[in-house]
Amino acid sequence: MGIDTNLLKAFAKQGFKALITILLLTGFGVFTNWILLALLTPELKTLFYASGARGGHGGGAAAILMLVMNWQASLLFLTFFFVFPILHFLFAKKYAVTSAITALLGERKTQFVEYLLQKFFERMNSKMELLDKLNSSGVVRTVNEYLPVYLKKLEGMPFLIKGIVKFFLSRFDFMGIVSGVINEEGKMDISQEEMIHKISNKVNAVLDEKVFSPSFQANWILYGVNVIIFIVIKIIV
């Protein structure tokens, strides 16, 4: 069973779109927070002078001491320079990857699962010791033993695709579905193609009930919190 080249193109397309979305949303978050931080310069100066820890030049140790003594100003700076930008990146990543998975499942749900399993068997067949295990123990036992190990690292899978697949696997109990298929088969031995087909059918049934729906609501909430904290600081400091 060959890997559908159209699926790989769909992966590449959605992976690229996810990457661009992450870069744009993160960039906007970083730019916005650094602008807000610049507007908070008077408040930073107020907190700095209020601490009474001004002046002094004594190298790295003195600089660290100054940061500690000016903890309020340091915390304010770090919040807008690092913390909020990192949060914007994490929220952007979740939204972008969820959107990519939704699009992929909408276009090629069956091929998506088959691709994952085919990459697993490709990895098995590429290593002599694992291939010997596959030939001696059969497909059912080998899948049950080695698939969980493969899913942790997804060796041999392109970086962008790996990120999408990892997020996909985190949303439901994939190995539970695989174990259900294996238990149904019992000790019967079946071919790789038949195993892929059975697992794909089971996963598809679950995905029909579990909808991956991207929502920008969490990102809007983060923007709101970001601005509200800025306004509060401007008012109270």
Side-chain angles (χ1 to χ4, degrees):
M1 181 185 296
I3 296 175
D4 188 351
T5 55
N6 289 325
L7 174 65
L8 297 182
K9 291 179 180 178
F11 262 121
K13 175 184 175 182
Q14 295 304 327
F16 180 74
K17 288 176 64 176
L19 181 60
I20 293 300
T21 300
I22 292 171
L23 291 175
L24 288 176
L25 293 179
T26 302
F28 178 75
V30 171
F31 177 77
T32 300
N33 274 278
W34 289 0
I35 292 296
L36 294 179
L37 183 60
L39 295 175
L40 287 172
T41 299
E43 286 71 25
L44 283 169
K45 290 180 178 179
T46 298
L47 293 174
F48 179 78
Y49 285 105
S51 69
R54 304 185 298 279
H57 297 280
I64 294 175
L65 179 61
M66 288 286 289
L67 290 175
V68 173
M69 295 180 68
N70 290 279
W71 67 270
Q72 290 179 314
S74 299
L75 179 61
L76 176 58
F77 177 84
L78 291 174
T79 297
F80 283 87
F81 194 84
F82 287 114
V83 177
F84 272 122
I86 290 173
L87 288 176
H88 280 288
F89 165 74
L90 295 175
F91 279 57
K93 179 182 176 182
K94 182 177 181 180
Y95 171 75
V97 175
T98 304
S99 298
I101 291 175
T102 301
L104 283 168
L105 294 180
E107 295 175 8
R108 301 181 178 277
K109 181 171 58 177
T110 300
Q111 291 94 330
F112 185 98
V113 180
E114 289 178 349
Y115 169 80
L116 171 60
L117 296 171
Q118 287 173 40
K119 293 298 289 185
F120 164 69
F121 282 115
E122 280 184 7
R123 199 67 183 173
M124 292 290 297
N125 293 326
S126 67
K127 294 187 176 182
M128 188 59 65
E129 67 275 14
L130 297 180
L131 182 59
D132 291 340
K133 183 75 174 180
L134 182 64
N135 293 330
S136 61
S137 301
V139 174
V140 172
R141 184 174 176 181
T142 304
V143 169
N144 192 39
E145 185 175 352
Y146 288 103
L147 184 58
V149 178
Y150 173 76
L151 294 179
K152 290 181 180 179
K153 296 183 178 180
L154 298 175
E155 293 179 306
M157 194 172 287
F159 174 75
L160 280 178
I161 296 178
K162 184 184 295 186
I164 293 173
V165 172
K166 277 186 174 293
F167 189 84
F168 169 76
L169 293 173
S170 71
R171 300 301 296 271
F172 67 105
D173 186 12
F174 182 78
M175 274 309 303
I177 297 174
V178 174
S179 297
V181 172
I182 291 174
N183 290 334
E184 288 179 4
E185 294 302 323
K187 296 183 178 180
M188 294 175 55
D189 196 20
I190 58 177
S191 66
Q192 294 182 23
E193 289 76 12
E194 190 175 356
M195 176 63 76
I196 291 174
H197 179 70
K198 287 179 177 293
I199 293 175
S200 296
N201 286 341
K202 284 285 186 179
V203 173
N204 287 344
V206 172
L207 293 179
D208 286 337
E209 300 174 359
K210 185 179 181 65
V211 179
F212 287 80
S213 53
S215 172
F216 205 74
Q217 183 177 359
N219 301 71
W220 285 123
I221 292 174
L222 177 60
Y223 291 135
V225 171
N226 205 159
V227 173
I228 289 172
I229 290 179
F230 167 78
I231 295 173
V232 170
I233 292 172
K234 293 294 287 186
I235 293 174
I236 67 175
V237 176

